[in-house]
Amino acid sequence: MAEPHTPRTELLQLDALGAQGAYRARNRMTVHDVAGGEVAELSLVPPLFVERTMKSLHRASGPALDDRIRMIDRAAELFSTAVLDGQSVTEYEYRVSRVGGIPISEVRATTRAIAARLRKVHYSVEHARPAGSVTRWDDPLTRTGRAVWARRGSVFAVHAAGNHPGPHSLWPEALALGYRVAVRPSRREPFTPHRLITALRGAGFGDDHVVLLPTDHATAEAVLRGADLGMVYGGEDVVRKYVTDASILPQGPGRSKILLTAEVDWRDHLDTIVDSVSGHGGTGCVNTTAVFVEGDPTPLCEALAERLSSVPSLPPEDPGAVCPVQPLATAKAFEAHLSYKATGAKAWLGGDGIADELGDGSAVLRPAVHQLDRPDASQASVELPFPCVWVAPWTREAGLAPLRNSLVLTAMTHDDRLVDGLLEEPSISNVYVGDHRTYWMESGMPHDGYLAEFLMRCKSVIRD
């Protein structure tokens, strides 16, 4: 049973957070939960408001590094514990769960994870700094010549993700590095960036240092145009649009994978494989999309289907929920898309449908397991926002080609030469060797490279 919770009946007003404070726009969009209930009104700012706000960010001067780190640390405490804009942590987490359909246990864990990452923000950016560089031109080492780590710009814009609150733990690193930051929230999940920016302002950052600019689609580009650098989350279309723009860092599909070579018994790693597929609700770019098996993948498919078929179908606010929930129409659309993409694959789980109606206008997106007949099958790159895994055979002759374009590749192997090859493959961002879940992340470790690699550069400095 769900934990007792009596949400407020009035609509939460989510104002824009501009350079002069909160702003309630005349153009407001209603945010609905997975059953169609009205939860909040989100102010959508016009182009002129965006233009003026971005100019204010460019004019602002930032606090010193030590002050920035101290304020971010204070914001971590406020974000995870305080009543902000009249909303408690419990109310915030409930709304994120009901609107985004993310299991409440995952939302609560992410609240803690965001706070923990904020507390380690200086640790993280220092890990990204080249070892031979210094952070100030007047460092004594520059008298004989030294690389100085410097910003590539002053204002950073973020088109935020809406599938999960976790990515909001990343962009505060730009604040730590001295950038002013503008976040355009996803209209699917505006609660986390609104709460985080409110916490950052409560901790001491000026209104003209970090802003929230909800917009309609037509105005969204103005946020990026007004910044020096930007980061954009989205699908393959987003990657194609921005891949040649050196000022934009696209964050697209992860297509994370697991490889099991013949000398490894998958039975010893079944928990890790199941968790990699279904952990965090199976919604993330670091969840496993495909598993490649050297040998017959049939026994693993059978075991995965057995384990994943036992997860319950529950509303997202139930503490026992495992799978994500979406409006019924959205869930049915995913079901139809999966059915189309799975043509020619053997369905071990989900072949009869993955949308399990809850009776309130929403449906659970239940797990799916499909077996492919060759390593280069196109389905292995199909990433969906729920526990959905494609299991394929792999051979040494197939090589690295099926494993390319992976945010994470977990290699369960004893073959050191194979690991060498995986590390040398440019399209594989992270390589985990052994029994490690593909969603493993830690402060100080790169996700898709370090964000600071994009935001900073080294300049040679020598002085008298």
Side-chain angles (χ1 to χ4, degrees):
M1 293 292 293
E3 291 180 354
H5 187 281
T6 306
R8 300 186 182 193
T9 56
E10 71 271 17
L11 289 184
L12 177 69
Q13 294 297 325
L14 287 177
D15 297 338
L17 301 175
Q20 281 76 46
Y23 172 76
R24 186 161 299 175
R26 285 181 293 179
N27 182 18
R28 295 196 289 274
M29 184 200 79
T30 301
V31 179
H32 297 89
D33 69 12
V34 292
E38 296 183 352
V39 175
E41 280 190 343
L42 178 65
S43 286
L44 302 180
V45 298
L48 182 59
F49 187 92
V50 172
E51 181 182 349
R52 290 176 174 173
T53 300
M54 299 306 285
K55 286 180 178 178
S56 294
L57 296 188
H58 280 283
R59 289 193 297 267
S61 58
L65 173 62
D66 288 347
D67 292 331
R68 298 195 300 265
I69 300 304
R70 176 182 54 78
M71 289 188 290
I72 292 173
D73 184 74
R74 173 59 179 151
E77 182 69 15
L78 294 174
F79 176 80
S80 58
T81 65
V83 174
L84 299 174
D85 275 356
Q87 184 176 216
S88 70
V89 177
T90 300
E91 290 169 326
Y92 151 74
E93 291 170 339
Y94 179 86
R95 286 187 172 105
V96 171
S97 180
R98 282 297 301 170
V99 171
I102 303 167
I104 189 69
S105 60
E106 174 60 17
V107 177
R108 291 168 178 161
T110 303
T111 300
R112 298 190 296 269
I114 290 174
R117 185 152 186 168
L118 293 179
R119 293 186 181 103
K120 289 188 172 183
V121 68
H122 188 244
Y123 173 85
S124 294
V125 298
E126 277 296 292
H127 269 65
R129 180 169 62 87
S133 68
V134 295
T135 59
R136 295 174 55 91
W137 72 268
D138 56 356
D139 188 291
L141 293 172
T142 59
R143 293 192 182 278
T144 56
R146 203 72 169 189
V148 175
W149 209 37
R151 291 191 302 274
R152 293 179 58 209
S154 300
V155 177
F156 181 53
V158 181
H159 277 197
N163 62 311
H164 194 281
H168 289 288
S169 67
L170 182 58
W171 60 257
E173 292 184 7
L175 280 176
L177 293 166
Y179 279 85
R180 276 79 73 197
V181 178
V183 178
R184 183 207 177 232
S186 166
R187 295 189 288 177
R188 289 173 53 200
E189 205 282 85
F191 306 102
T192 299
H194 192 281
R195 182 174 181 83
L196 182 51
I197 290 172
T198 301
L200 288 161
R201 291 180 171 196
F205 280 99
D207 290 350
D208 57 356
H209 285 90
V210 56
V211 299
L212 184 79
L213 298 176
T215 72
D216 57 24
H217 290 295
T219 309
E221 283 292 316
V223 180
L224 293 176
R225 289 197 304 271
D228 300 308
L229 300 171
M231 179 168 63
V232 181
Y233 289 86
E236 196 63 48
D237 55 333
V238 167
V239 175
R240 285 194 298 268
K241 181 176 181 179
Y242 294 109
V243 68
T244 60
D245 189 338
S247 69
I248 303 295
L249 180 65
Q251 300 287 283
R255 301 190 177 100
S256 297
K257 304 174 182 69
I258 292 175
L259 171 66
L260 294 129
T261 54
E263 73 278 11
V264 174
D265 189 341
W266 60 264
R267 296 168 185 82
D268 296 333
H269 306 285
L270 184 59
D271 287 348
T272 294
I273 300 168
V274 171
D275 287 349
S276 293
V277 172
S278 61
H280 305 297
T283 63
C285 56
V286 288
N287 282 107
T288 297
T289 296
V291 178
F292 292 87
V293 180
E294 187 178 20
D296 181 10
T298 301
L300 175 58
C301 289
E302 186 175 11
L304 285 173
E306 181 180 359
R307 287 282 295 272
L308 291 170
S309 66
S310 65
V311 301
S313 289
L314 295 168
E317 72 275 16
D318 191 298
V322 175
C323 296
V325 176
Q326 287 294 307
L328 180 58
T330 303
K332 287 293 187 181
F334 279 126
E335 184 175 78
H337 180 72
L338 174 61
S339 178
Y340 170 73
K341 289 293 186 180
T343 301
K346 178 179 180 179
W348 285 88
L349 185 64
D352 295 329
I354 49 87
D356 193 2
E357 297 185 39
L358 290 175
D360 62 354
S362 70
V364 177
L365 293 171
R366 292 194 55 79
V369 178
H370 288 82
Q371 183 174 348
L372 305 175
D373 59 6
R374 64 184 197 276
D376 62 344
S378 61
Q379 292 99 325
S381 64
V382 175
E383 181 177 282
L384 293 168
F386 58 93
C388 177
V389 64
W390 310 89
V391 185
W394 180 83
T395 64
R396 302 286 167 154
E397 292 72 27
L400 300 185
L403 309 175
R404 290 178 180 142
N405 301 310
S406 301
L407 178 58
V408 180
L409 191 289
T410 288
M412 297 180 181
T413 183
H414 301 151
D415 186 340
D416 292 348
R417 290 186 62 185
L418 175 59
V419 174
D420 288 340
L422 296 173
L423 283 167
E424 291 170 2
E425 168 53 47
S427 70
I428 299 175
S429 297
N430 304 294
V431 177
Y432 302 163
V433 183
D435 194 74
H436 301 284
R437 289 152 177 79
T438 52
Y439 60 70
W440 177 86
M441 287 184 285
E442 289 288 343
S443 294
M445 300 295 292
H447 174 59
D448 190 5
Y450 287 113
L451 177 59
E453 294 177 37
F454 174 71
L455 297 175
M456 308 293 282
R457 60 170 293 191
C458 282
K459 299 182 180 182
S460 292
V461 174
I462 190 168
R463 64 187 178 94
D464 295 334

